[in-house]
mmCIF file of all heavy atoms in Angstrom:
data_model
loop_
_atom_site.group_PDB
_atom_site.id
_atom_site.type_symbol
_atom_site.label_atom_id
_atom_site.label_comp_id
_atom_site.label_asym_id
_atom_site.label_seq_id
_atom_site.Cartn_x
_atom_site.Cartn_y
_atom_site.Cartn_z
ATOM 1 N N LYS A 130 76.318 -48.167 98.468
ATOM 2 C CA LYS A 130 76.512 -46.840 99.084
ATOM 3 C C LYS A 130 77.727 -46.131 98.530
ATOM 4 O O LYS A 130 77.817 -44.910 98.545
ATOM 5 C CB LYS A 130 76.603 -46.988 100.599
ATOM 6 C CG LYS A 130 77.787 -47.772 101.093
ATOM 7 C CD LYS A 130 77.667 -48.105 102.565
ATOM 8 C CE LYS A 130 76.756 -49.287 102.784
ATOM 9 N NZ LYS A 130 76.484 -49.610 104.167
ATOM 10 N N ASP A 154 70.076 -49.506 101.792
ATOM 11 C CA ASP A 154 70.840 -49.528 103.039
ATOM 12 C C ASP A 154 69.833 -49.289 104.175
ATOM 13 O O ASP A 154 69.045 -48.333 104.130
ATOM 14 C CB ASP A 154 71.886 -48.393 102.992
ATOM 15 C CG ASP A 154 73.119 -48.724 103.805
ATOM 16 O OD1 ASP A 154 73.126 -49.760 104.494
ATOM 17 O OD2 ASP A 154 74.083 -47.931 103.751
ATOM 18 N N SER A 155 69.844 -50.175 105.172
ATOM 19 C CA SER A 155 68.716 -50.202 106.121
ATOM 20 C C SER A 155 68.527 -48.877 106.862
ATOM 21 O O SER A 155 67.395 -48.438 107.085
ATOM 22 C CB SER A 155 68.899 -51.341 107.121
ATOM 23 O OG SER A 155 70.158 -51.258 107.737
ATOM 24 N N GLU A 156 69.637 -48.205 107.213
ATOM 25 C CA GLU A 156 69.535 -46.955 107.985
ATOM 26 C C GLU A 156 68.878 -45.867 107.140
ATOM 27 O O GLU A 156 68.068 -45.080 107.636
ATOM 28 C CB GLU A 156 70.923 -46.480 108.418
ATOM 29 C CG GLU A 156 71.656 -47.425 109.366
ATOM 30 C CD GLU A 156 72.261 -48.643 108.682
ATOM 31 O OE1 GLU A 156 72.147 -48.757 107.431
ATOM 32 O OE2 GLU A 156 72.823 -49.495 109.376
ATOM 33 N N HIS A 157 69.255 -45.827 105.874
ATOM 34 C CA HIS A 157 68.746 -44.770 104.988
ATOM 35 C C HIS A 157 67.332 -45.062 104.537
ATOM 36 O O HIS A 157 66.520 -44.150 104.361
ATOM 37 C CB HIS A 157 69.715 -44.576 103.818
ATOM 38 C CG HIS A 157 71.105 -44.335 104.326
ATOM 39 N ND1 HIS A 157 71.870 -45.364 104.815
ATOM 40 C CD2 HIS A 157 71.819 -43.209 104.495
ATOM 41 C CE1 HIS A 157 73.012 -44.873 105.258
ATOM 42 N NE2 HIS A 157 73.002 -43.566 105.073
ATOM 43 N N ILE A 177 71.698 -42.236 112.762
ATOM 44 C CA ILE A 177 71.941 -43.548 112.152
ATOM 45 C C ILE A 177 72.407 -44.469 113.278
ATOM 46 O O ILE A 177 73.230 -44.063 114.098
ATOM 47 C CB ILE A 177 73.060 -43.432 111.102
ATOM 48 C CG1 ILE A 177 72.613 -42.556 109.938
ATOM 49 C CG2 ILE A 177 73.500 -44.784 110.608
ATOM 50 C CD1 ILE A 177 73.748 -42.261 108.974
ATOM 51 N N THR A 178 71.915 -45.688 113.310
ATOM 52 C CA THR A 178 72.378 -46.599 114.363
ATOM 53 C C THR A 178 73.511 -47.488 113.841
ATOM 54 O O THR A 178 73.610 -47.758 112.643
ATOM 55 C CB THR A 178 71.229 -47.483 114.874
ATOM 56 O OG1 THR A 178 70.626 -48.136 113.760
ATOM 57 C CG2 THR A 178 70.202 -46.660 115.625
ATOM 58 N N TRP A 206 74.153 -58.802 111.672
ATOM 59 C CA TRP A 206 73.844 -58.911 110.244
ATOM 60 C C TRP A 206 74.733 -59.959 109.570
ATOM 61 O O TRP A 206 75.878 -60.129 109.959
ATOM 62 C CB TRP A 206 74.105 -57.581 109.533
ATOM 63 C CG TRP A 206 73.267 -56.435 109.977
ATOM 64 C CD1 TRP A 206 73.632 -55.470 110.865
ATOM 65 C CD2 TRP A 206 71.950 -56.084 109.537
ATOM 66 N NE1 TRP A 206 72.624 -54.553 111.005
ATOM 67 C CE2 TRP A 206 71.581 -54.904 110.203
ATOM 68 C CE3 TRP A 206 71.052 -56.659 108.628
ATOM 69 C CZ2 TRP A 206 70.357 -54.283 110.004
ATOM 70 C CZ3 TRP A 206 69.830 -56.037 108.432
ATOM 71 C CH2 TRP A 206 69.486 -54.869 109.114
ATOM 72 N N MET A 208 76.433 -60.403 105.995
ATOM 73 C CA MET A 208 76.660 -59.549 104.821
ATOM 74 C C MET A 208 77.900 -60.009 104.067
ATOM 75 O O MET A 208 78.611 -60.903 104.501
ATOM 76 C CB MET A 208 76.870 -58.097 105.265
ATOM 77 C CG MET A 208 75.846 -57.591 106.244
ATOM 78 S SD MET A 208 76.117 -55.891 106.773
ATOM 79 C CE MET A 208 77.443 -56.077 107.958
ATOM 80 N N ILE A 212 81.861 -55.291 103.568
ATOM 81 C CA ILE A 212 81.038 -54.475 104.472
ATOM 82 C C ILE A 212 81.094 -55.020 105.911
ATOM 83 O O ILE A 212 80.966 -54.266 106.867
ATOM 84 C CB ILE A 212 79.582 -54.340 103.948
ATOM 85 C CG1 ILE A 212 78.757 -53.423 104.857
ATOM 86 C CG2 ILE A 212 78.905 -55.650 103.742
ATOM 87 C CD1 ILE A 212 77.358 -53.116 104.358
ATOM 88 N N ASN A 221 82.183 -48.455 107.535
ATOM 89 C CA ASN A 221 80.840 -48.539 106.957
ATOM 90 C C ASN A 221 79.939 -47.427 107.490
ATOM 91 O O ASN A 221 79.171 -46.824 106.746
ATOM 92 C CB ASN A 221 80.244 -49.920 107.257
ATOM 93 C CG ASN A 221 78.832 -50.055 106.711
ATOM 94 O OD1 ASN A 221 78.589 -49.802 105.535
ATOM 95 N ND2 ASN A 221 77.893 -50.424 107.564
ATOM 96 N N LYS A 222 80.046 -47.152 108.787
ATOM 97 C CA LYS A 222 79.176 -46.120 109.371
ATOM 98 C C LYS A 222 79.583 -44.733 108.874
ATOM 99 O O LYS A 222 78.736 -43.876 108.642
ATOM 100 C CB LYS A 222 79.231 -46.218 110.888
ATOM 101 C CG LYS A 222 77.972 -45.911 111.625
ATOM 102 C CD LYS A 222 76.687 -46.484 111.039
ATOM 103 C CE LYS A 222 76.604 -47.994 110.984
ATOM 104 N NZ LYS A 222 75.304 -48.489 110.474
ATOM 105 N N GLU A 225 78.112 -44.340 105.672
ATOM 106 C CA GLU A 225 76.670 -44.087 105.780
ATOM 107 C C GLU A 225 76.377 -42.646 106.178
ATOM 108 O O GLU A 225 75.335 -42.094 105.799
ATOM 109 C CB GLU A 225 76.040 -45.076 106.767
ATOM 110 C CG GLU A 225 76.070 -46.488 106.200
ATOM 111 C CD GLU A 225 75.392 -47.535 107.053
ATOM 112 O OE1 GLU A 225 74.988 -47.227 108.188
ATOM 113 O OE2 GLU A 225 75.264 -48.674 106.577
ATOM 114 N N GLU A 228 76.725 -40.956 102.949
ATOM 115 C CA GLU A 228 75.544 -41.327 102.147
ATOM 116 C C GLU A 228 74.330 -40.489 102.584
ATOM 117 O O GLU A 228 73.588 -39.966 101.746
ATOM 118 C CB GLU A 228 75.271 -42.836 102.356
ATOM 119 C CG GLU A 228 74.138 -43.405 101.523
ATOM 120 C CD GLU A 228 73.848 -44.884 101.846
ATOM 121 O OE1 GLU A 228 74.439 -45.445 102.801
ATOM 122 O OE2 GLU A 228 73.008 -45.472 101.145
ATOM 123 N N MET A 270 67.769 -57.903 105.699
ATOM 124 C CA MET A 270 67.861 -56.972 104.565
ATOM 125 C C MET A 270 66.766 -57.199 103.521
ATOM 126 O O MET A 270 66.520 -56.349 102.684
ATOM 127 C CB MET A 270 69.241 -57.071 103.894
ATOM 128 C CG MET A 270 70.368 -56.420 104.665
ATOM 129 S SD MET A 270 70.042 -54.681 105.089
ATOM 130 C CE MET A 270 69.992 -53.906 103.478
HETATM 131 MG MG1 LIG B 3 73.655 -49.957 106.638
#
Side-chain angles (χ1 to χ4, degrees):
K130 64 191 80 185
D154 209 354
S155 53
E156 296 77 2
H157 306 76
I177 294 172
T178 54
W206 297 98
M208 312 179 282
I212 183 174
N221 179 53
K222 215 43 63 177
E225 292 184 353
E228 184 184 7
M270 285 306 295

